[in-house]
């Protein structure tokens, strides 16, 4: 049995769209982070990604699968379900994502100032 995902693994005060660096789509990087520790079911992904609708999560998963970053496996048995898992290609995204996150943290104030200036 694997440990559940932390429902607070993504800080709601830190919107994913603040970083100009994207992985697949708006939610793709967060989905990849959720799968970093191993395969997960759709319902497990919904816990830390509570701001995403089921439809958008499905679209994001399909995009990541199409791009070869995750695999989708239908599990047979008494309780049928689907699990999503990072492929080797998807796992190779973790290091660039760490660099992008570090860059965003380093330039956080500048990014916020630019957004606020553009909004006014």
């Amino acid at each position: 049995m694997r440990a559940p995902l932390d429902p607070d693994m993504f800080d709601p005060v830190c919107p994913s769209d603040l970083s100009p660096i994207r992985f697949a789509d708006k939610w793709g990087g967060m989905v990849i982070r959720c799968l970093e520790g191993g395969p997960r079911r759709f319902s497990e992904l919904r816990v830390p990604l509570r701001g995403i609708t089921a439809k958008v999560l499905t679209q994001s998963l399909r995009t990541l699968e199409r791009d070869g970053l995750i695999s989708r496996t239908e599990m047979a048995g008494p309780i049928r379900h689907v699990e999503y898992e990072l492929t080797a290609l998807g796992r190779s995204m973790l290091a660039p994502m760490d660099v992008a996150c570090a860059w965003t943290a380093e330039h956080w104030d500048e990014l916020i100032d630019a957004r606020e200036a553009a909004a006014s």
Side-chain angles (χ1 to χ4, degrees), residues 107-118:
H107 297 281
W108 183 260
D109 291 334
E110 296 163 88
L111 292 165
I112 291 174
D113 290 346
R115 290 282 171 98
E116 289 174 352

Side-chain angles (χ1 to χ4, degrees), residues 85-101:
E85 184 172 18
L86 288 177
T87 62
L89 183 61
R91 196 156 288 286
S92 74
M93 292 289 293
L94 295 173
M97 287 175 62
D98 289 341
V99 171
C101 288

Side-chain angles (χ1 to χ4, degrees), residues 7-16 30 48 50 108:
D8 297 319
M9 70 186 285
F10 300 113
D11 186 344
V13 178
C14 175
S16 65
M30 288 186 277
R50 59 188 168 272
W108 183 260

Side-chain angles (χ1 to χ4, degrees), residues 10 12 22 33 36 38-39 48 61 73 75 82 85 90:
F10 300 113
R22 298 267 189 237
R33 283 290 182 207
E36 185 175 7
L61 289 166
T73 305
M75 311 299 280
V82 173
E85 184 172 18

Side-chain angles (χ1 to χ4, degrees), residues 3-85:
L5 291 171
D6 180 0
D8 297 319
M9 70 186 285
F10 300 113
D11 186 344
V13 178
C14 175
S16 65
D17 65 351
L18 181 61
S19 175
I21 302 167
R22 298 267 189 237
F23 295 92
D25 60 28
K26 177 180 177 178
W27 298 96
M30 288 186 277
V31 171
I32 290 170
R33 283 290 182 207
C34 288
L35 297 174
E36 185 175 7
R40 296 288 176 173
R41 295 170 71 165
F42 186 90
S43 59
E44 291 178 282
L45 296 172
R46 294 288 311 269
V47 173
L49 300 173
R50 59 188 168 272
I52 189 172
T53 65
K55 178 182 176 182
V56 173
L57 178 55
T58 298
Q59 290 171 342
S60 187
L61 289 166
R62 286 180 181 160
T63 299
L64 292 167
E65 184 180 15
R66 181 204 64 208
D67 293 343
L69 301 176
I70 66 171
S71 62
R72 179 184 186 274
T73 305
E74 292 186 35
M75 311 299 280
I79 302 175
R80 297 178 52 158
H81 65 278
V82 173
E83 288 188 343
Y84 298 91
E85 184 172 18

